[in-house]
Amino acid sequence: MKSPFTVPLQQPLSYMPGWLVLAGLLVVAVILMQVIARRRRRRAGENLPIRLRPASEAQLPGIKERYLDTLGAIERDLREGKTEPRFAYQRMSGAIRGFVYEATGVKVQKYTLYEIKQLRMHRLTQLIEEYYVPEFAEWSQQDALASLHRTEGVIQGWH
């Protein structure tokens, strides 16, 4: 008996390979555009001027006192065993970032370490670098109380 079909079966992948090449080129072009766009955004961000709105000389002592009190609470919790060093580092990071924001007007709470380095606030950069490993690691050998005292020193010496 003869087959009722008049069209013979096609071999697998017998369609035009040109479409596959075109789709591949399109994917490569999209990826390349993303890479270029990210580099441009990063470079544009590096060149943005930072507008400092420093706290007045009358406000700065109150701001310092408030954040030194916060650090005092962190120290008490560490000494009494109410908080682990990892969480103490997270709280210290939040405290110094909050202090710098109130003292300068720069929203460093949302900045990465890379972005903080671009600000050229060396004391802040050193503290955030010091916090990074113990803040994100499960366990660290760094001395949280020593870091806390360095943070207090930065706040006390801020002008």
Side-chain angles (χ1 to χ4, degrees), residues 75-118:
E75 182 175 6
R76 274 191 306 281
D77 289 348
L78 267 171
R79 289 188 188 280
E80 294 171 4
K82 291 180 181 177
T83 190
E84 295 176 22
R86 176 182 181 185
F87 299 115
Y89 276 103
Q90 290 172 354
R91 290 171 61 192
M92 281 187 274
S93 179
I96 191 65
R97 288 170 185 254
F99 171 76
V100 170
Y101 169 66
E102 287 193 42
T104 66
V106 179
K107 293 183 180 183
V108 293
Q109 306 95 315
K110 299 179 181 182
Y111 284 21
T112 63
L113 177 58
Y114 175 78
E115 293 166 327
I116 290 172
K117 285 180 181 180
Q118 302 306 311

Side-chain angles (χ1 to χ4, degrees), residues 110-146:
K110 299 179 181 182
Y111 284 21
T112 63
L113 177 58
Y114 175 78
E115 293 166 327
I116 290 172
K117 285 180 181 180
Q118 302 306 311
L119 296 174
R120 291 184 173 82
M121 292 182 182
H122 300 294
R123 294 177 292 175
L124 175 63
T125 301
Q126 289 170 343
L127 286 176
I128 298 300
E129 282 178 336
E130 182 177 331
Y131 300 158
Y132 254 52
V133 171
E135 189 176 0
F136 294 108
E138 282 188 47
W139 185 82
S140 172
Q141 289 183 329
Q142 268 186 280
D143 183 2
L145 288 173

